[in-house]
Amino acid sequence: MELSLSQFELVSNMFSFTIAAMGAAALFFFFTSFQIHPKYRLAVLVSGVVVALACYHYVRIYDSWHDAYALTETESGVVFQETATPFNDYYRYADWILTVPLLVIELIAVMALAAPIARSLSWRLGGAAVLMIILGYPGEISSDNGTRWLFWGLSMLPFLYILFVLLTELSTSLARQPEDVRGRISFARYLIVITWSFYPIAYLAPMIGLSGANAEVALQVGYSIADVLAKAAFGLYIYSIAATKSELETGEALSAHSEYAA
Ligand SMILES: *C/C=C(C)/C=C/C=C(C)/C=C/C1=C(C)CCCC1(C)C
């Protein structure tokens, strides 16, 4: 495969931007977590861990991209040609297997549900997330479309289970959330549904006949945007819920104190 200068640079710049966005988000979540009420702090700390892991993996992805193509002079001009080192998809899957279960744990942690419910949801949703990524990998590294379809189908089962739990079971718990944040927590679920849906659709690209340089560039740029939205933007959203809940706790503590004084 051959990439034009601008195709190669577009992907390279996108990876670079993602490293910066994830790194900045990690600093923000770690430092601001100290201002969050201890009850909700875990949610913000986990957001920090997710973007820190992604920042590291994007550094490796950036390097792998630069190792996989080399500037070459041809008769038609200067292009980027594939080297003997293939671009490494493993970094993405290594990242997902760690960060995807943590993302569902962020949402559960910020809801601060009763311990048995939180534990059950974390195990089931986190477990399904790990299973989804493991089942996707054999298809990802296969160039046989039959194998890709098989593992796409298998991986879709835990994916649909996650969406089902988020949209049905979690609604019951939603009713018990403070009114000020109920709408935002509900929207956080849709944010997961919307941003996560990008991945199984992008996976289909080679199976529906998309190939070559344009498909590769679209896929890498698409994954980067989806990752920034699903990790950094989602984390900010979780942070805003945690911050509002912290204010509510402080407000309650203050009014309890003034009643006592009176
Ligand atoms: C930060 C990274 C995130 C949120 C990644 C999410 C990835 C998925 C939801 C991937 C799902 C897949 C399927 C449902 C089927 C095909 C294989 C996968 C792994 C791409």
Side-chain angles (χ1 to χ4, degrees):
M1 191 166 57
E2 213 173 76
L3 298 174
S4 72
L5 259 63
S6 53
Q7 283 176 322
F8 179 86
E9 289 298 334
L10 175 63
V11 174
S12 174
N13 290 339
M14 202 58 218
F15 289 160
S16 171
F17 165 79
T18 307
I19 294 169
M22 298 291 189
L27 289 176
F28 177 81
F29 294 141
F30 286 138
F31 284 121
T32 53
S33 69
F34 294 106
Q35 290 159 7
I36 298 292
H37 190 277
K39 233 165 132 180
Y40 312 110
R41 191 170 296 154
L42 181 69
V44 179
L45 283 174
V46 174
S47 304
V49 171
V50 165
V51 287
L53 284 166
C55 181
Y56 163 74
H57 282 117
Y58 265 93
V59 171
R60 308 310 302 259
I61 290 172
Y62 176 94
D63 284 345
S64 177
W65 183 254
H66 280 256
D67 290 342
Y69 297 93
L71 201 55
T72 320
E73 231 170 311
T74 65
E75 281 156 23
S76 48
V78 190
V79 293
F80 275 91
Q81 263 174 356
E82 268 176 329
T83 64
T85 317
F87 180 61
N88 193 345
D89 269 326
Y90 170 77
Y91 295 126
R92 281 201 188 284
Y93 275 75
D95 183 69
W96 293 352
I97 207 162
L98 297 168
T99 57
V100 175
L102 289 174
L103 285 168
V104 291
I105 288 171
E106 269 175 46
L107 179 63
I108 296 166
V110 86
M111 290 180 78
L113 304 169
I117 302 176
R119 211 173 301 133
S120 156
L121 278 172
S122 301
W123 278 113
R124 284 185 292 135
L125 290 176
V130 170
L131 195 65
M132 168 180 85
I133 304 303
I134 291 176
L135 287 173
Y137 191 62
E140 184 71 76
I141 56 171
S142 166
S143 46
D144 172 50
N145 275 348
T147 311
R148 283 188 81 92
W149 276 114
L150 172 69
F151 287 99
W152 182 83
L154 290 174
S155 174
M156 280 304 280
L157 299 175
F159 178 68
L160 292 175
Y161 172 75
I162 295 171
L163 300 195
F164 177 77
V165 173
L166 285 179
L167 297 179
T168 60
E169 207 176 315
L170 224 59
S171 310
T172 329
S173 309
L174 211 54
R176 270 176 251 125
Q177 292 292 309
E179 227 178 295
D180 295 32
V181 293
R182 204 177 294 153
R184 263 184 282 165
I185 294 182
S186 176
F187 184 75
R189 298 178 309 161
Y190 294 115
L191 208 55
I192 292 186
V193 175
I194 296 163
T195 56
W196 289 25
S197 294
F198 176 79
Y199 301 84
I201 296 171
Y203 190 91
L204 292 174
M207 291 120 90
I208 55 172
L210 295 174
S211 64
N214 280 328
E216 180 66 13
V217 170
L219 189 66
Q220 296 307 332
V221 171
Y223 272 147
S224 304
I225 295 171
D227 278 351
V228 170
L229 293 176
K231 295 181 169 72
F234 179 75
L236 271 180
Y237 209 71
I238 294 290
Y239 164 80
S240 93
I241 295 168
T244 305
K245 280 187 149 190
S246 297
E247 277 164 30
L248 292 175
E249 295 277 346
T250 320
E252 267 167 36
L254 283 179
S255 62
H257 181 76
S258 60
E259 271 161 36
Y260 179 71

